[in-house]
Amino acid sequence: MDKRIASLLSLAAGLGLGLGLGQLLPSGSNNSEHADGDSPKHASKSARSTFHGNRTSDTPKLPGAKPVKTGGPRSAKLNALLDLTSHHHSSTHDPEFYQKIQKLSAGEVAVLLDELGNGFKQDPRSYKVRISLFNHWAKLDPEGAWAAAMEHQNVHLRSQTASAVIAEIARTDLAKARGLIDGLTHNNVKQAAVSSLVAIMSRDDPEGALRLVRDEIGQSNRYGHLHSIFQNWVRQDPDAAIAKFRTLKGSQELQQAGGVIATALAANDPERAIQFANSIKNWNARSNALNSAIRTIASEDPHRALMHLE
């Protein structure tokens, strides 16, 4: 095997090492547990009276954490959901678990969330159950679910639940989701909600999603959002995505969007991907796009990728 080919991947990866990738990542957030005054514009009074929320920290724990009972005994229904949940929230979804969730009424969801918030706050399984319950509640009663999400005084928990509810609302009513987001005052919670809205919008209206990001998200925190937007955009309409890319001005935006476009193009049209990358005037953005394109090409055809490096 040609030694040049064997070293291709490391060479391709090395192209992007000097691009200051640390500057592209979202800055650290402050997960303060203090209340910030966020309140929904269309709060459900009944939901607020039914759901009291977990007013203490309930950040997901690592596997093996011991449950700490802080309230009354759990109901059989909640125990059944917890028993169907693995010890890590990112595990493969269990069909039986979600079937049980889908059978619950809005009132039953509110009771279970109230119960979950009052007991076993360090049980690592509670995170997946809570988010799944909020997702289902948002389908049944968006306003009630949103009001309940806003009850959380722990910022991390409020961000996660707000994101889950906004994702469900946005699937059927983008305007309503945007209106709820406009009422948020805490930056971390707002960015989490915007992220969900952008993910939904970018599927059908990437240009609108880009406007939303520019209006609501700070320059240093746009990386993930731009990735989602241009990834969907270039798949739907490569010409339109590239045309919009040409209008970007910031170096970071050019690097982020250019890399995504080059990667997507390289999967189906390697030559166009390389031509696109070489056409970028900004040096950092051009290097990043070339690196992205060549790595994608190399994963399928190392010889072809090597030709572009010579």
Coordinates of all heavy atoms in Angstrom, one line a residue, residues 34-85:
H34 N -30.7 29.8 40.4 CA -31.6 30.9 40.8 C -32.7 31.2 39.8 O -32.5 31.1 38.6 CB -30.8 32.1 41.1 CG -29.8 31.9 42.2 ND1 -30.1 31.7 43.5 CD2 -28.4 31.9 42.1 CE1 -29.0 31.5 44.2 NE2 -28.0 31.7 43.4
A35 N -33.8 31.5 40.3 CA -34.9 31.9 39.4 C -34.6 33.2 38.7 O -33.9 34.0 39.2 CB -36.2 32.1 40.3
D36 N -35.1 33.3 37.5 CA -34.8 34.5 36.7 C -36.0 35.2 36.2 O -36.0 36.2 35.5 CB -34.0 34.1 35.4 CG -34.8 33.2 34.5 OD1 -34.9 32.0 34.8 OD2 -35.4 33.7 33.6
G37 N -37.2 34.7 36.6 CA -38.4 35.4 36.2 C -39.0 35.0 34.9 O -40.0 35.6 34.4
D38 N -38.5 34.0 34.2 CA -39.1 33.5 33.0 C -40.5 33.1 33.3 O -40.8 32.4 34.2 CB -38.4 32.3 32.5 CG -37.1 32.6 31.7 OD1 -37.1 33.8 31.2 OD2 -36.2 31.8 31.6
S39 N -41.4 33.5 32.4 CA -42.8 33.1 32.6 C -43.4 33.1 31.2 O -43.2 33.9 30.4 CB -43.6 34.1 33.4 OG -43.6 35.4 32.9
P40 N -44.3 32.0 30.9 CA -44.9 31.9 29.6 C -45.9 33.0 29.4 O -46.6 33.5 30.3 CB -45.5 30.5 29.6 CG -45.8 30.3 31.1 CD -44.7 31.0 31.8
K41 N -46.1 33.4 28.1 CA -47.1 34.4 27.8 C -48.5 33.8 27.9 O -49.4 34.6 28.1 CB -46.8 34.9 26.4 CG -45.6 35.8 26.3 CD -45.5 36.4 24.9 CE -44.3 37.4 24.8 NZ -44.3 38.1 23.5
H42 N -48.6 32.5 27.7 CA -49.9 31.9 27.8 C -49.9 30.8 28.8 O -50.1 29.7 28.6 CB -50.3 31.3 26.4 CG -50.2 32.3 25.3 ND1 -51.0 33.3 25.1 CD2 -49.2 32.4 24.3 CE1 -50.6 34.0 24.0 NE2 -49.6 33.5 23.6
A43 N -49.6 31.2 30.1 CA -49.5 30.2 31.1 C -50.8 29.6 31.5 O -51.9 30.2 31.5 CB -48.9 30.8 32.4
S44 N -50.8 28.3 31.7 CA -52.1 27.6 32.1 C -52.2 27.6 33.6 O -51.4 27.0 34.3 CB -52.0 26.1 31.5 OG -53.0 25.4 32.1
K45 N -53.2 28.2 34.1 CA -53.4 28.3 35.5 C -53.6 26.9 36.1 O -53.1 26.6 37.2 CB -54.6 29.1 35.8 CG -54.9 29.4 37.3 CD -56.0 30.3 37.5 CE -56.3 30.5 39.0 NZ -57.4 31.5 39.3
S46 N -54.4 26.0 35.4 CA -54.6 24.7 36.0 C -53.3 23.9 36.0 O -53.1 23.1 37.0 CB -55.6 23.9 35.1 OG -55.1 23.8 33.8
A47 N -52.5 24.1 35.0 CA -51.2 23.3 35.0 C -50.3 23.8 36.2 O -49.7 23.0 36.8 CB -50.5 23.5 33.7
R48 N -50.3 25.1 36.4 CA -49.5 25.7 37.5 C -50.0 25.1 38.9 O -49.2 24.9 39.8 CB -49.5 27.2 37.5 CG -48.7 27.8 36.4 CD -48.8 29.3 36.5 NE -47.9 29.9 35.5 CZ -46.6 30.1 35.6 NH1 -46.0 29.6 36.7 NH2 -45.9 30.6 34.7
S49 N -51.3 25.0 39.0 CA -51.8 24.5 40.3 C -51.6 23.0 40.5 O -51.5 22.5 41.6 CB -53.3 24.8 40.4 OG -54.1 24.2 39.4
T50 N -51.5 22.3 39.3 CA -51.4 20.8 39.4 C -49.9 20.4 39.5 O -49.6 19.5 40.3 CB -51.9 20.2 38.1 OG1 -53.3 20.5 38.0 CG2 -51.8 18.6 38.1
F51 N -49.1 21.1 38.8 CA -47.6 20.8 38.8 C -46.8 21.7 39.6 O -46.9 22.9 39.4 CB -47.1 20.8 37.3 CG -45.7 20.4 37.2 CD1 -45.3 19.1 37.1 CD2 -44.7 21.4 37.2 CE1 -44.0 18.8 37.0 CE2 -43.4 21.1 37.1 CZ -43.0 19.8 37.0
H52 N -46.1 21.2 40.6 CA -45.3 22.1 41.5 C -43.9 22.1 41.1 O -43.2 23.0 41.5 CB -45.4 21.5 42.9 CG -46.9 21.4 43.4 ND1 -47.7 22.5 43.5 CD2 -47.6 20.4 43.7 CE1 -48.9 22.2 43.9 NE2 -48.9 20.8 44.0
G53 N -43.5 21.2 40.3 CA -42.1 21.2 39.7 C -41.1 20.8 40.8 O -41.3 20.8 42.0
N54 N -39.9 20.5 40.3 CA -38.8 20.2 41.1 C -38.0 21.4 41.4 O -37.3 21.9 40.5 CB -37.9 19.1 40.5 CG -36.7 18.7 41.3 OD1 -36.6 19.2 42.4 ND2 -35.8 17.9 40.7
R55 N -38.0 21.9 42.6 CA -37.4 23.2 42.8 C -36.0 23.0 43.4 O -35.4 23.9 44.0 CB -38.2 24.0 43.8 CG -39.6 24.4 43.2 CD -40.4 25.2 44.2 NE -41.7 25.5 43.6 CZ -41.9 26.5 42.7 NH1 -41.0 27.3 42.4 NH2 -43.2 26.7 42.2
T56 N -35.4 21.9 43.2 CA -34.0 21.6 43.6 C -33.3 21.1 42.4 O -33.9 20.7 41.4 CB -33.9 20.7 44.7 OG1 -34.6 19.5 44.4 CG2 -34.5 21.3 46.0
S57 N -32.0 21.0 42.4 CA -31.2 20.5 41.3 C -31.5 19.1 41.0 O -31.6 18.3 41.8 CB -29.7 20.6 41.6 OG -28.9 20.1 40.6
D58 N -31.7 18.8 39.7 CA -32.0 17.5 39.2 C -31.3 17.2 38.0 O -31.8 16.6 37.0 CB -33.5 17.4 39.0 CG -34.0 15.9 38.9 OD1 -33.2 15.0 39.3 OD2 -35.1 15.6 38.4
T59 N -30.0 17.6 37.9 CA -29.1 17.3 36.7 C -28.9 15.8 36.6 O -28.7 15.2 37.6 CB -27.8 18.1 36.9 OG1 -28.0 19.4 37.1 CG2 -26.9 17.9 35.7
P60 N -28.9 15.3 35.4 CA -28.7 13.8 35.2 C -27.4 13.4 35.9 O -26.4 14.0 35.7 CB -28.7 13.7 33.7 CG -29.4 14.8 33.2 CD -29.1 16.0 34.1
K61 N -27.4 12.3 36.6 CA -26.3 11.7 37.2 C -25.7 10.6 36.4 O -26.3 10.0 35.5 CB -26.6 11.2 38.6 CG -27.3 12.3 39.5 CD -26.4 13.4 39.8 CE -27.1 14.5 40.7 NZ -26.2 15.6 40.9
L62 N -24.4 10.3 36.7 CA -23.8 9.2 36.0 C -24.4 7.8 36.5 O -24.9 7.8 37.6 CB -22.3 9.2 36.3 CG -21.5 10.4 35.7 CD1 -20.1 10.3 36.2 CD2 -21.6 10.3 34.2
P63 N -24.3 6.8 35.7 CA -24.8 5.5 36.1 C -24.2 5.1 37.5 O -23.0 5.3 37.7 CB -24.3 4.5 35.0 CG -24.2 5.4 33.8 CD -23.7 6.7 34.3
G64 N -25.0 4.5 38.3 CA -24.6 4.0 39.6 C -24.9 5.0 40.7 O -24.7 4.6 41.9
A65 N -25.5 6.1 40.4 CA -25.8 7.1 41.5 C -27.0 6.5 42.3 O -27.9 5.8 41.7 CB -26.3 8.4 40.9
K66 N -26.9 6.6 43.6 CA -27.9 6.0 44.5 C -29.1 7.0 44.6 O -28.9 8.2 44.9 CB -27.3 5.7 45.8 CG -26.2 4.7 45.8 CD -25.7 4.4 47.2 CE -24.6 3.4 47.2 NZ -24.1 3.1 48.5
P67 N -30.4 6.4 44.4 CA -31.5 7.3 44.6 C -31.6 7.9 46.0 O -31.3 7.2 47.0 CB -32.7 6.3 44.3 CG -32.1 5.2 43.5 CD -30.7 5.1 44.0
V68 N -32.0 9.1 46.1 CA -32.2 9.7 47.4 C -33.7 10.1 47.5 O -34.1 11.0 46.8 CB -31.3 11.0 47.5 CG1 -31.6 11.7 48.8 CG2 -29.8 10.6 47.4
K69 N -34.4 9.5 48.4 CA -35.8 9.7 48.5 C -36.0 11.0 49.3 O -35.6 11.2 50.4 CB -36.4 8.5 49.2 CG -37.9 8.5 49.3 CD -38.4 7.3 49.9 CE -39.9 7.2 49.9 NZ -40.5 6.0 50.5
T70 N -36.7 11.9 48.7 CA -37.0 13.2 49.3 C -38.5 13.4 49.5 O -38.9 14.4 50.1 CB -36.4 14.4 48.5 OG1 -37.1 14.3 47.2 CG2 -35.0 14.2 48.3
G71 N -39.3 12.6 49.0 CA -40.8 12.8 49.1 C -41.5 11.5 49.5 O -40.8 10.6 50.0
G72 N -42.7 11.3 49.2 CA -43.5 10.1 49.5 C -43.1 9.0 48.5 O -42.3 9.1 47.7
P73 N -43.7 7.8 48.8 CA -43.5 6.6 47.9 C -43.9 6.9 46.5 O -44.9 7.6 46.2 CB -44.3 5.5 48.6 CG -45.4 6.2 49.3 CD -44.8 7.5 49.8
R74 N -43.2 6.2 45.6 CA -43.6 6.4 44.1 C -44.7 5.5 43.8 O -44.9 4.4 44.4 CB -42.4 6.0 43.3 CG -41.2 6.9 43.4 CD -40.0 6.4 42.5 NE -39.5 5.2 43.0 CZ -38.4 4.6 42.6 NH1 -37.7 5.2 41.6 NH2 -37.9 3.5 43.1
S75 N -45.5 5.9 42.9 CA -46.7 5.1 42.5 C -46.2 3.9 41.6 O -45.1 4.0 41.1 CB -47.7 6.0 41.7 OG -47.1 6.4 40.5
A76 N -47.1 3.0 41.5 CA -46.8 1.8 40.6 C -46.5 2.2 39.2 O -45.7 1.7 38.5 CB -47.9 0.8 40.7
K77 N -47.3 3.2 38.7 CA -47.2 3.7 37.3 C -45.8 4.3 37.1 O -45.2 4.1 36.1 CB -48.3 4.7 37.1 CG -48.4 5.1 35.6 CD -49.7 5.9 35.3 CE -50.9 5.0 35.5 NZ -52.2 5.7 35.2
L78 N -45.3 5.2 38.0 CA -44.0 5.8 37.9 C -42.9 4.7 38.0 O -41.9 4.8 37.2 CB -43.8 6.9 38.9 CG -42.5 7.6 38.9 CD1 -42.3 8.2 37.5 CD2 -42.4 8.7 39.9
N79 N -43.1 3.8 38.9 CA -42.1 2.7 39.1 C -42.0 1.9 37.8 O -40.9 1.5 37.4 CB -42.5 1.8 40.2 CG -42.0 2.3 41.5 OD1 -40.9 2.8 41.6 ND2 -42.7 2.0 42.6
A80 N -43.1 1.7 37.1 CA -43.1 0.9 35.9 C -42.3 1.6 34.8 O -41.5 1.0 34.0 CB -44.5 0.7 35.4
L81 N -42.4 3.0 34.7 CA -41.7 3.8 33.7 C -40.2 3.8 34.0 O -39.4 3.6 33.2 CB -42.2 5.2 33.7 CG -43.6 5.4 33.0 CD1 -44.1 6.8 33.2 CD2 -43.6 5.0 31.6
L82 N -39.9 3.9 35.3 CA -38.5 4.0 35.7 C -37.8 2.6 35.5 O -36.7 2.5 35.1 CB -38.4 4.4 37.2 CG -38.7 5.8 37.5 CD1 -38.8 6.0 39.0 CD2 -37.6 6.7 37.0
D83 N -38.6 1.5 35.7 CA -38.0 0.2 35.5 C -37.7 -0.1 34.0 O -36.9 -0.9 33.7 CB -39.0 -0.9 36.1 CG -39.0 -0.9 37.6 OD1 -38.1 -0.3 38.2 OD2 -40.0 -1.4 38.1
L84 N -38.5 0.6 33.1 CA -38.2 0.4 31.7 C -37.2 1.3 31.2 O -36.9 1.3 30.0 CB -39.5 0.6 30.9 CG -40.6 -0.4 31.1 CD1 -41.9 0.0 30.5 CD2 -40.2 -1.7 30.4
T85 N -36.6 2.1 32.0 CA -35.6 3.1 31.6 C -34.2 2.6 32.0 O -34.0 2.2 33.2 CB -35.9 4.5 32.3 OG1 -37.2 4.9 32.0 CG2 -34.9 5.5 31.8

